[in-house]
Amino acid sequence: MRVDLIVKGVAKTPTLDRMLRHKLHYAFDQFGRWVSEVALAVEDVNGPKGGVDKRCRVTVSVPRSAAVVIDGRGADLLAVVTEAIDRAAHSLARLRDRRQDRRRHAPAGVVFA
């Protein structure tokens, strides 16, 4: 799984980088080769003004499917990132379950990609 991190308006420290990568691997490694790429974009929209201004977008690329894109927004960067990653993992699990269910109930001889 390839991981792309995009950080704007937030100090990108080695600790933040490790923490974000750890959260992504923890959430998406369970999907194995099914997830080819994950992009996490974090941005401080208002800069030093404060307020509900942290934005996080998680984009997960899945072969033979549309990408799963989750946006989150809030005042606490770690809370926004954690929630967006959790929602993306939940969406992927539902997509995987629907695909498996469709294959299980398919008539004989029908192949789904």
Side-chain angles (χ1 to χ4, degrees):
M1 173 177 71
R2 189 173 132 215
V3 174
D4 290 330
L5 294 179
I6 302 157
V7 179
K8 295 179 183 176
V10 178
K12 187 175 180 184
T13 64
T15 303
L16 177 65
D17 188 78
R18 273 194 311 274
M19 188 268 307
L20 293 175
R21 288 181 188 278
H22 174 76
K23 285 184 174 293
L24 290 169
H25 283 288
Y26 182 79
F28 299 115
D29 277 352
Q30 65 180 317
F31 298 103
R33 285 199 244 143
W34 198 55
V35 172
S36 58
E37 181 180 353
V38 177
L40 177 76
V42 177
E43 181 179 13
D44 187 348
V45 179
N46 293 338
K49 294 179 193 175
V52 181
D53 63 344
K54 308 300 188 278
R55 184 183 305 156
C56 176
R57 172 174 278 185
V58 179
T59 306
V60 183
S61 299
V62 180
R64 296 182 307 268
S65 183
V68 173
V69 180
I70 301 293
D71 284 316
R73 202 172 188 155
D76 184 306
L77 178 67
L78 297 180
V80 171
V81 167
T82 301
E83 180 186 358
I85 290 172
D86 289 347
R87 287 176 47 213
H90 184 71
S91 293
L92 279 174
R94 282 194 337 249
L95 179 62
R96 179 190 58 199
D97 292 346
R98 280 195 308 262
R99 281 187 176 183
Q100 288 173 350
D101 192 48
R102 198 171 58 177
R103 285 187 180 134
R104 237 180 273 134
H105 294 89
V110 175
V111 178
F112 290 99

